[in-house]
Amino acid sequence: MKARIHITLKKGVLDPQGKAIANALSHLGFDGVEEVRQGKYIEIDLADGDKAQARAKLDAMCAQLLANTVIENYTVELQA
Amino acid sequence: MRVSVTPEIVAAHGLKPDEYAHILRVLNREPNLTELGIFSAMWNEHCSYKSSRVWLRTMPTTGPQVVCGPGENAGVVDIGDGQVAIFKMESHNHPSFIEPYQGAATGVGGIMRDVFTMGARPVANLNALRFGAPDHARTRHLVYGVVAGIGGYGNCIGVPTVGGEVNFDAGYNGNILVNAMCIGIADASKVFYSTASGIGNPVVYVGSKTGRDGIHGASMASAEFDENSEEKRPTVQVGDPFTEKLLLEACLELMAGDAVIAIQDMGAAGLTCSAVEMASKGGLGLLLDLDKVPCREAGMTAYEMMLSESQERMLMVLHPDRTDAARAIFERWELDFAIVGETTDTGRFIIRHQGETVADLPVDVLAEQAPVYQRPWTPTPPAPYLPAKEIPDTDDLGATLARLMGGPHLASRRWIWEQYDHMVMGDTIQRPGGDAAVVRVHNSRKGIAATTDVTPRYCAAAPKEGGKQAIAEAFRNLCAVGAKPLAVTDCLNFGNPERPEIMGQFVGCIEGISEACIALDMPIVSGNVSLYNETSGVAIPPTPAIGAIGLLADVDKMATVAFKQDGDEIFVIGETQGHLGQSLYAREIAGRKDGAPPPVDLAAERRNGDFIRSQIIAGNVAAAHDISDGGLLVAIAEMALAGGLGCMLSLPRNAGPRHGFLFGEDQARYIACVSPQKAQAMIAAAQEKNVPVTRFGSVAGRDIVLDGKLVHSVAGLRSAHENWFPAYMEG
């Protein structure tokens, strides 16, 4: 089972890295970049098993380690 | 906003019913929600000092060295040659508990802005940190985040983090303390203040855009935590050190000219506090047009803009004909620059948004008529003297010493300070690990010494003696490197001031601090107060953290703690009575937490401190160390570890109980190492000044030896001392 996890800053939280990317893009001459928000993407291979249990386990991983839920949101996709 | 103000909304803004009644009386109408938010920001404990102000007024704040005392962004002291040092310490406790990395990082960013707002280039950062018990579930996570946040921000902006202190105590389990200090250097003729002047002058916003960060952070900082505090999380703001670096350079470039009339950092309750303070100090009114404020998000309300705590922003009043030149500077540094209002002669704070007047409030009421409370207080009951004979001596001196040196209170803080760039800027002369950090004033022989100190267990047992001791220890740490102490910044962290016993701790500490500041000629020039540090009714130990700076005329005449060479004689300066009450020995080895802390004799502190400094400057001292936590033997061990050398010690004939002599925490003491050729001169000078000097042994070999018996090898002690922190953090 493969899990794909996207972690992004919550709406409204300042994103200095995104801001730096936006600046760099405009310096490189890409017009019309209004805002950049960046995040991270994590793939996890899990032993096959019950999907609901796997989802609960992935939620716990996100809450405890992968995401800083004070300022970040996460989404989990599970593929068999 | 068309929301009518209900008692629940008033309470949610942290205003008491009688405070709201006062607002109704002075306005003669109901405030709207934006106005209520502004009142709540200006009148909360964090901004208004309503519980502490009557006591803060009693503290000594003047002296010939003081250029500007409390009330500005930071304190300013004269360091000669037309230069000043500008410094302050400030708390960022609550945000750091909720989000340790960003909370600590923005604390560092905020205190640096306080310093460069006044025209100084920051040259050193320090941090006084208090965490819960090492075995508490959250402590490791908080230590990790706070230290990374301090390093992350300070290292990115390129200002060295040179010193500080760390305590662990179960009393901080629910409320850690993160007190950040910054020191900057400026030309005396180029210091900038926050007093607006002139009518019709442009009010200019510079720095980052405004987002919905930390809305009501300042109000949060004045509310106790409860079990639901997790829900307050989204108010934590995120720092951007790279933008702050641009803001620093842009501000200093602008300040080299004559454009700036007044400037104020946007810290707690950003736009509100900065605008009101500048107008109030100038006796002016101020008009703000929120449509001009650079916003990060669409659809922000006036309420959100006025209370946002987005970082890396400043508000300035400029000379009108210099505005274009100023704009060019900030645009070159890729920062926002917007004229958002003007000064007026109305004495009113008027805010326009989308064509409407959304607030119209009297400036003087906001700034000066905040409630001031004479809170009832009860003195802390005196703790009885705990004689050394009531505490058992140890039968294994070596193991006891290793346990102290390798425990959470005294273990090496290398794991922390190795994460900080403490050498950047190239002027760090004395690195973390000594008594005080020393940074050279660039392009000169002068040095600024800096230290942070307080012993919360002393303050809890006897607030007044604890307050005195905090100043005395800071004084000693500065004297022990050869610096002349100049002035103090204080960060007063306490529990809920509405409880008389907490207020009693506050009053006691203030009295002790004031007395010591006068006796040791170290006026208070800046600081802040952090109250309501309690969780579910359990308060932190009283923690008036002291940051102090001193001046070395010549950094070549500086002392360090390290043993230098075999044969140097070891002397104890000051009188040892063997006071074990509240000592680490009593608490950690004997398990006794009762008893009075060591009394502080300020005349002896002054005499002994002036003596050690004069001996260092005269070149008589090879190594010097103040004696504090852990007592004499711990101080010796620290010097041995720093130098990689051992010593042969012998107990003086009149030492009294051995454990009292070796582990007592009597004040006003130093260890001085002196070469045999210079020992007579130093003893003669001490006798002349009436300073007690006791010969305790000499530097020798690679072991610590007492009366011919091995106490501990220096190498073995080093592994205990160095290993605790990394092992703890690896869990």
Side-chain angles (χ1 to χ4, degrees):
Chain A
M1 229 177 341
K2 178 163 266 187
R4 300 168 194 278
I5 300 169
H6 285 271
I7 295 162
T8 51
L9 286 166
K10 286 182 178 168
K11 191 168 170 289
V13 173
L14 177 68
D15 182 0
Q17 212 177 329
K19 207 167 76 180
I21 296 169
N23 276 346
L25 289 174
S26 76
H27 284 309
L28 286 170
F30 292 99
D31 294 339
V33 176
E34 295 197 344
E35 200 192 356
V36 176
R37 308 275 292 169
Q38 54 77 49
K40 63 188 167 195
Y41 168 69
I42 299 170
E43 284 184 354
I44 297 180
D45 281 322
L46 287 171
D48 288 337
D50 180 66
K51 243 185 158 174
Q53 273 179 11
R55 194 165 279 283
K57 199 187 265 179
L58 288 161
D59 268 336
M61 290 179 196
C62 287
Q64 285 174 35
L65 179 69
L66 303 178
N68 177 356
T69 54
V70 178
I71 53 174
E72 290 173 332
N73 289 327
Y74 62 85
T75 57
V76 178
E77 280 172 56
L78 251 186
Q79 284 178 340
Chain B
M1 266 183 285
R2 307 278 178 262
V3 180
S4 62
V5 172
T6 63
E8 290 75 36
I9 291 178
V10 171
H13 280 76
L15 289 163
K16 304 271 147 109
D18 54 327
E19 294 171 354
Y20 186 61
H22 184 61
I23 293 174
L24 294 179
R25 214 161 38 241
V26 293
L27 288 188
N28 207 13
R29 64 176 168 86
E30 273 194 10
N32 63 36
L33 192 59
T34 302
E35 291 173 329
L36 185 73
I38 290 170
F39 268 109
S40 117
M42 290 304 299
W43 284 13
N44 71 26
E45 194 69 56
H46 188 85
C47 287
S48 74
Y49 298 101
K50 59 192 173 190
S51 299
S52 57
R53 195 187 287 197
V54 293
W55 293 102
L56 298 179
R57 282 197 196 114
T58 66
M59 302 182 89
T61 59
T62 55
Q65 69 273 47
V66 178
V67 176
C68 173
E72 277 291 339
N73 283 292
V76 184
V77 292
D78 189 355
I79 56 167
D81 308 313
Q83 291 176 308
V84 291
I86 299 183
F87 71 108
K88 187 182 184 184
M89 179 154 56
E90 200 163 71
S91 61
H92 226 220
N93 304 334
H94 292 64
S96 301
F97 184 76
I98 289 168
E99 212 309 286
Y101 184 98
Q102 294 296 344
T106 52
V108 173
I111 196 63
M112 281 195 279
R113 278 198 305 287
D114 278 331
V115 165
F116 71 76
T117 302
M118 298 195 71
R121 180 173 288 280
V123 297
N125 286 325
L126 294 92
N127 296 278
L129 310 176
R130 323 275 158 192
F131 296 103
D135 57 3
H136 185 259
R138 291 199 64 167
T139 300
R140 195 177 281 113
H141 161 76
L142 290 168
V143 173
Y144 187 84
V146 165
V147 171
I150 291 168
Y153 207 102
N155 296 358
C156 287
I157 198 171
V159 174
T161 302
V162 296
E165 57 176 340
V166 183
N167 285 164
F168 295 92
D169 188 292
Y172 303 105
N173 280 353
N175 297 78
I176 63 168
L177 302 183
V178 175
N179 297 168
M181 174 172 168
C182 180
I183 305 161
I185 306 283
D187 282 342
S189 59
K190 280 288 180 187
V191 179
F192 292 83
Y193 299 99
S194 60
T195 304
S197 65
I199 310 298
N201 284 331
V203 174
V204 174
Y205 170 118
V206 298
S208 286
K209 290 181 173 26
T210 296
R212 291 187 173 97
D213 309 280
I215 295 199
H216 261 200
S219 300
M220 174 177 81
S222 302
E224 271 180 60
F225 282 161
D226 57 32
E227 301 303 326
N228 297 323
S229 63
E230 302 285 305
E231 286 170 20
K232 293 182 180 172
R233 280 180 160 189
T235 63
V236 170
Q237 58 273 51
V238 170
D240 179 357
F242 300 108
T243 298
E244 177 130 321
K245 172 67 173 168
L246 300 177
L247 187 60
L248 160 66
E249 298 302 336
C251 283
L252 293 183
E253 185 177 334
L254 178 67
M255 287 164 164
D258 56 0
V260 179
I261 296 172
I263 179 165
Q264 174 84 31
D265 155 50
M266 288 196 229
L271 203 46
T272 296
C273 272
S274 55
V276 171
E277 279 175 27
M278 286 205 296
S280 159
K281 283 181 182 158
L284 298 174
L286 201 136
L287 175 73
L288 275 188
D289 180 357
L290 296 185
D291 297 330
K292 305 274 174 57
V293 170
C295 286
R296 205 166 73 224
E297 294 175 67
M300 287 189 64
T301 64
Y303 179 92
E304 288 169 331
M305 278 189 241
M306 292 312 294
L307 297 179
S308 162
E309 295 192 349
S310 290
Q311 299 290 295
E312 294 94 23
R313 302 180 300 161
M314 298 268 194
L315 201 63
M316 311 186 289
V317 177
L318 296 182
H319 286 291
D321 56 346
R322 298 286 188 277
T323 311
D324 289 340
R327 180 189 297 278
I329 292 173
F330 280 86
E331 287 182 349
R332 194 159 52 75
W333 288 101
E334 299 185 338
L335 294 164
D336 276 290
F337 179 102
I339 298 171
V340 295
E342 61 177 23
T343 54
T344 67
D345 59 1
T346 61
R348 297 193 75 83
F349 186 36
I350 295 173
I351 300 169
R352 297 235 171 87
H353 188 218
Q354 297 172 342
E356 284 183 52
T357 298
V358 293
D360 181 351
L361 299 169
V363 168
D364 56 344
V365 170
L366 283 171
E368 288 147 33
Q369 288 187 30
V372 173
Y373 293 119
Q374 180 64 264
R375 302 258 189 221
W377 57 282
T378 50
T380 305
Y385 171 63
L386 179 61
K389 64 175 165 26
E390 284 189 24
I391 296 175
D393 194 359
T394 171
D395 41 21
D396 187 342
L397 205 50
T400 299
L401 179 61
R403 206 170 128 197
L404 286 171
M405 295 296 291
H409 300 280
L410 297 174
S412 166
R413 271 56 178 140
R414 179 186 298 274
W415 183 89
I416 293 180
W417 57 255
E418 276 190 345
Q419 297 185 52
Y420 303 155
D421 188 338
H422 47 269
M423 299 300 283
V424 66
M425 297 180 95
D427 285 314
T428 305
I429 307 284
Q430 186 147 173
R431 302 202 274 168
D435 278 324
V438 178
V439 290
R440 179 175 41 213
V441 177
H442 205 70
N443 288 331
S444 81
R445 299 182 71 83
K446 285 188 297 190
I448 302 285
T451 178
T452 68
D453 295 287
V454 63
T455 312
R457 61 180 190 276
Y458 294 175
C459 295
K464 189 171 175 187
E465 286 305 307
K468 280 200 262 183
Q469 194 273 343
I471 296 290
E473 188 176 343
F475 174 84
R476 287 202 301 273
N477 281 327
L478 296 172
C479 291
V481 300
K484 168 102 183 75
L486 282 180
V488 167
T489 180
D490 57 1
C491 200
L492 306 170
N493 309 278
F494 290 82
N496 180 350
E498 294 163 46
R499 290 165 54 196
E501 64 274 25
I502 299 291
M503 204 57 208
Q505 294 175 338
F506 183 80
V507 171
C509 286
I510 293 253
E511 287 174 347
I513 289 169
S514 296
E515 200 179 313
C517 285
I518 292 168
L520 303 176
D521 193 16
M522 298 167 76
I524 291 164
V525 296
S526 60
N528 97 320
V529 180
S530 173
L531 301 175
Y532 297 95
N533 291 291
E534 36 183 279
T535 297
S536 306
V538 180
I540 59 161
T543 312
I546 297 300
I549 68 165
L551 182 66
L552 291 102
D554 183 350
V555 290
D556 287 344
K557 292 178 180 157
M558 177 186 80
T560 63
V561 301
F563 280 161
K564 297 297 183 304
Q565 64 177 347
D566 277 4
D568 282 352
E569 299 195 18
I570 299 170
F571 293 93
V572 180
I573 313 287
E575 195 182 353
T576 302
Q577 295 192 329
H579 187 105
L580 282 171
Q582 297 302 332
S583 66
L584 283 182
Y585 180 88
R587 290 170 72 100
E588 302 302 314
I589 305 298
R592 290 286 297 263
K593 301 204 168 177
D594 57 331
V600 180
D601 176 345
L602 292 168
E605 290 285 359
R606 181 72 186 254
R607 193 166 53 235
N608 299 354
D610 288 350
F611 172 74
I612 190 91
R613 185 182 337 109
S614 69
Q615 289 300 304
I616 292 168
I617 292 170
N620 285 343
V621 176
H625 192 12
D626 117 275
I627 302 175
S628 51
D629 269 353
L632 179 53
L633 193 59
V634 162
I636 292 277
E638 288 168 343
M639 298 177 83
L641 287 172
L645 293 172
C647 52
M648 306 275 279
L649 308 171
S650 45
L651 274 182
R653 200 183 298 272
N654 55 354
R658 183 182 74 155
H659 58 312
F661 185 81
L662 294 178
F663 297 108
E665 296 181 5
D666 306 275
Q667 299 293 298
R669 292 186 303 158
Y670 303 81
I671 296 169
C673 290
V674 183
S675 72
Q677 299 82 346
K678 290 180 173 165
Q680 268 318 313
M682 194 211 61
I683 292 168
Q687 278 165 348
E688 191 187 318
K689 300 282 183 198
N690 236 345
V691 171
V693 178
T694 310
R695 191 174 180 284
F696 189 37
S698 59
V699 177
R702 297 291 183 271
D703 300 315
I704 297 173
V705 176
L706 178 68
D707 289 336
K709 293 193 202 88
L710 175 71
V711 175
H712 213 295
S713 72
V714 174
L717 214 46
R718 185 183 308 286
S719 62
H721 186 60
E722 291 291 346
N723 286 348
W724 184 85
F725 226 112
Y728 170 66
M729 292 311 295
E730 276 168 27

